[in-house]
Amino acid sequence: MTTDAQSSDRHMLVAELRQVLSDISPAHDTPIGVIHPYWARKPMNVVETIIEHLTDPGELVVDPFMGSGTTVFGALRTGRRVVGSDISQLSQHLVSGLVDLMENSEVIVPEIRRILARHRDISLPWYSFDDGDYVERIRFKVVGEFSDGEFELKPTEIVTKRPKGSSWTSRRAHMDEASLRRLPQIPTELNRAISHPVNFESLLLPENSRIAIPRGATLAHYFTSENRASINVLLELIQDSPLDREHSAALRLLLSASLPSLRLSDKKASSQWPYWRPKTDLTSRNPVLVLESKFKQILQLVEWSQSSSLAGSFESDHQVLAMAAQALTPASFHGQARLVLTDPPYGDQVPYLEYSAMWNGVLGLDVHEQASSQELVRSNASHRRLDSSDYLSRLQGAFAANANLLQPGGILAWFYQDQDLRCWEAIYDVAIESDMQLIDVIPLPKQRRSLKTVTSPNTTLDGDLLCVFTKNTSGTASAPCSEPDLDVFEGSTMEISGRESYFDRYAVLILSALRTGTISKLADQFSTVKRALAATEV
């Protein structure tokens, strides 16, 4: 096939992909997706559709920002080889644990069940209320300020339940003074015997108002003393397991999935923010009930994997790394990718490394010293100002490294959206330097709201753009413009139909600006996407 024919074929594949994606209803809540509250997950069916349209079975897919591993598992489910990497140790821990669990469920699941039963025997008596009832949750009134831990928790309601077989029943609420004095109690002798694998009091979190970490916060401020002790009991049981050396990450999945519900949180524990707490009312939950509920999700995940193409061994088909995207090279995994499909951090996102500190501290994950200096992030935290100023250069470094992973004619597909037109200008410049040609910018307006779209609600959007580039096969650099006869700017604006959705107009604006090379002019004049679109509607 000639180079022109190959290019035409890639354009046709992407055109077909655009049409199919427009008809898809995103599916976020697969058993893999719900097992851990990882932020900004992509829908599994969207990711699988992209992989199936842009690669053939057996070809290599790489995700340098793998997060919770949607691309990794989407590639494995569709019969592709895959490499997933992330700067976050939590990401590698989670994905490795999920793979191990699905590969070795017949060994790991019974051990988790045994550990969970032993944990119940030790911890559940602490939450005994009376006549067979146990504390299910406690609601507190906050007295004082979170800064420097200068607050107290005054109980306002105790909710109890009664075990019945493998479930719980007879929910009752108690608000009388006598009941409120009957809080969970750790036996003194047991409290002395617990060796405390995690010293919650010593884990200081750096102040960052954007992710709700106040001054002087330690991890101890986010859990009651009983729940901290219960977590340590579970960790001790895992550490004593004969399977811990070989299956460490898989055994800890139950705990990592449960942490957001074990912390002090809002009434429903529905927030994605591990550090956000209501200022006046907090809720703490019985760890035994939380862990049992999460164990049911693990069983559902195993059943799902066994009934799908994920059953079996992945050893020869996948690799999981913990590296910054800028440092990833073909030598990291001995090959070149047909498709790099990934979701880099947008300019208005929170620092993931700090966001994952709760899991890192409890699970004992180490973050290497250079990690924060390589993370793509903008933050208003004083200790991360350099990271904010370096965001564009790190964004370009990541794009260039991603492009370098591709075989000639390979495809780079970035989920990306940012209101700052300077970010798009940076992508344009590095695309030219990396000899990449833009094929399409596909609007995906149906994405469910997530951490990415709640950090800055006045500027972020409920959706994404899928930016699809291809590696030039000619060997000579060219501008990332493959069809110059498409819509172009007239002066500083372009005609965009008011009948289209916001995200459709957003995609047309970026597609045209990148293809025609007018993105710098657009950024100089309007600064943001919203301002540019508003000017086109006058």
Side-chain angles (χ1 to χ4, degrees):
M1 185 180 291
T2 66
T3 299
D4 288 343
Q6 291 173 333
S7 178
S8 176
D9 183 53
R10 288 192 295 274
H11 280 74
M12 186 178 299
L13 288 173
V14 175
E16 292 173 354
L17 174 63
R18 170 186 271 265
Q19 180 59 48
V20 172
L21 289 176
S22 68
D23 297 328
I24 282 183
S25 177
H28 291 262
D29 294 329
T30 64
I32 285 177
V34 300
I35 202 66
H36 189 287
Y38 210 94
W39 42 99
R41 296 192 316 267
K42 287 294 172 284
M44 178 69 77
N45 59 339
V46 169
V47 168
E48 287 182 357
T49 298
I50 295 169
I51 292 171
E52 288 177 325
H53 273 76
L54 301 183
T55 65
D56 292 325
E59 290 188 316
L60 179 62
V61 179
V62 177
D63 185 351
F65 298 93
M66 71 177 172
S68 60
T70 305
T71 297
V72 172
F73 295 107
L76 291 172
R77 274 169 54 88
T78 54
R80 275 66 172 175
R81 295 177 296 118
V82 65
V83 174
S85 183
D86 203 287
I87 196 173
S88 170
Q89 288 285 348
L90 175 61
S91 171
Q92 185 199 37
H93 181 87
L94 172 62
V95 176
S96 298
L98 287 168
V99 170
D100 188 21
L101 175 66
M102 288 184 282
E103 282 188 316
N104 301 288
S105 60
E106 72 285 353
V107 174
I108 295 171
V109 169
E111 181 64 1
I112 295 177
R113 183 181 284 111
R114 184 194 68 80
I115 290 171
L116 194 56
R118 181 60 183 140
H119 175 268
R120 178 190 177 111
D121 290 342
I122 297 172
S123 290
L124 188 57
W126 307 348
Y127 299 85
S128 177
F129 198 74
D130 62 24
D131 298 329
D133 286 354
Y134 292 86
V135 174
E136 186 261 341
R137 66 182 61 199
I138 306 173
R139 294 193 173 114
F140 299 95
K141 180 72 67 176
V142 180
V143 180
E145 298 292 332
F146 286 129
S147 295
D148 295 317
E150 298 295 328
F151 68 92
E152 293 182 50
L153 300 178
K154 301 293 186 182
T156 59
E157 182 183 52
I158 293 178
V159 178
T160 61
K161 282 187 176 182
R162 177 168 297 194
K164 185 177 181 180
S166 60
S167 61
W168 292 81
T169 187
S170 303
R171 193 173 192 269
R172 296 172 57 200
H174 310 264
M175 291 176 282
D176 59 282
E177 287 298 324
S179 293
L180 295 179
R181 288 195 293 269
R182 301 174 63 183
L183 296 176
Q185 295 291 325
I186 309 171
T188 303
E189 64 277 9
L190 181 62
N191 195 24
R192 290 172 179 166
I194 297 174
S195 62
H196 301 296
V198 179
N199 187 339
F200 288 83
E201 291 81 1
S202 69
L203 291 172
L204 182 67
L205 301 171
E207 181 181 0
N208 190 332
S209 61
R210 193 172 185 190
I211 55 176
I213 300 179
R215 182 183 63 252
T218 70
L219 210 53
H221 298 155
Y222 294 86
F223 300 85
T224 63
S225 58
E226 295 78 25
N227 284 16
R228 298 198 299 268
S230 185
I231 289 170
N232 274 323
V233 167
L234 182 63
L235 284 170
E236 281 192 336
L237 292 170
I238 292 173
Q239 291 172 358
D240 290 342
S241 168
L243 299 186
D244 188 45
R245 178 184 294 273
E246 189 175 353
H247 303 288
S248 173
L251 292 178
R252 285 165 175 75
L253 276 177
L254 182 68
L255 176 56
S256 67
S258 301
L259 281 178
S261 297
L262 297 179
R263 67 184 172 90
L264 289 159
S265 61
D266 57 359
K267 186 174 181 180
K268 295 182 179 179
S270 58
S271 173
Q272 291 190 74
W273 293 73
Y275 311 109
W276 181 83
R277 299 169 298 189
K279 292 184 178 180
T280 57
D281 299 284
L282 289 175
T283 299
S284 179
R285 291 156 183 80
N286 185 327
V288 173
L289 277 71
V290 171
L291 292 166
E292 288 178 352
S293 175
K294 291 298 179 181
F295 183 62
K296 291 178 182 178
Q297 292 182 348
I298 285 179
L299 295 178
Q300 291 168 358
L301 168 63
V302 170
E303 181 180 357
W304 176 78
S305 69
Q306 291 175 344
S307 65
S308 72
S309 54
L310 279 174
S313 175
F314 310 136
E315 185 173 350
S316 61
D317 294 329
H318 91 286
Q319 190 174 355
V320 176
L321 306 171
M323 297 178 64
Q326 304 95 304
L328 201 62
T329 70
S332 305
F333 47 86
H334 309 294
Q336 287 183 302
R338 174 63 180 172
L339 170 66
V340 172
L341 173 60
T342 196
D343 182 24
Y346 310 161
D348 63 351
Q349 285 178 230
V350 300
Y352 282 8
L353 292 176
E354 288 183 32
Y355 192 79
S356 61
M358 181 176 77
W359 285 276
N360 292 338
V362 173
L363 299 175
L365 305 179
D366 294 325
V367 179
H368 62 80
E369 295 180 359
Q370 290 78 30
S372 7
S373 65
Q374 296 173 308
E375 186 180 16
L376 273 70
V377 66
R378 283 174 171 166
S379 171
N380 61 359
S382 58
H383 62 284
R384 303 216 65 167
R385 287 174 183 162
L386 180 61
D387 303 292
S388 295
S389 62
D390 286 350
Y391 173 78
L392 292 181
S393 62
R394 295 180 191 177
L395 181 72
Q396 289 183 317
F399 186 100
N402 285 193
N404 188 50
L405 301 176
L406 293 169
Q407 64 188 50
I411 292 176
L412 171 61
W414 264 28
F415 289 102
Y416 194 79
Q417 72 100 339
D418 201 295
Q419 285 293 303
D420 187 348
L421 288 167
R422 293 298 177 194
C423 294
W424 294 104
E425 181 184 21
I427 289 174
Y428 173 83
D429 290 342
V430 72
I432 293 177
E433 295 172 3
S434 302
D435 201 17
M436 300 292 289
Q437 292 186 342
L438 178 66
I439 299 178
D440 202 356
V441 177
I442 302 173
L444 299 171
K446 301 175 184 178
Q447 307 297 299
R448 186 177 64 183
R449 292 184 68 80
S450 68
L451 179 66
K452 285 187 176 180
T453 57
V454 298
T455 52
S456 303
N458 294 325
T459 58
T460 53
L461 297 167
D462 187 10
D464 274 303
L465 301 181
L466 182 66
C467 307
V468 186
F469 296 82
T470 185
K471 187 79 169 178
N472 190 2
T473 58
S474 67
T476 58
S478 62
C481 175
S482 53
E483 295 183 18
D485 58 333
L486 296 178
D487 293 334
V488 295
F489 285 93
E490 296 180 4
S492 61
T493 64
M494 61 183 291
E495 293 184 5
I496 302 176
S497 170
R499 295 187 301 273
E500 297 170 321
S501 72
Y502 186 91
F503 244 84
D504 286 334
R505 290 181 285 124
Y506 183 4
V508 170
L509 178 86
I510 297 300
L511 175 63
S512 182
L514 295 181
R515 277 180 163 164
T516 60
T518 54
I519 185 63
S520 296
K521 182 177 181 181
L522 198 68
D524 288 340
Q525 185 164 357
F526 296 110
S527 178
T528 69
V529 170
K530 285 189 175 181
R531 291 176 182 172
L533 286 176
T536 69
E537 296 167 358
V538 175

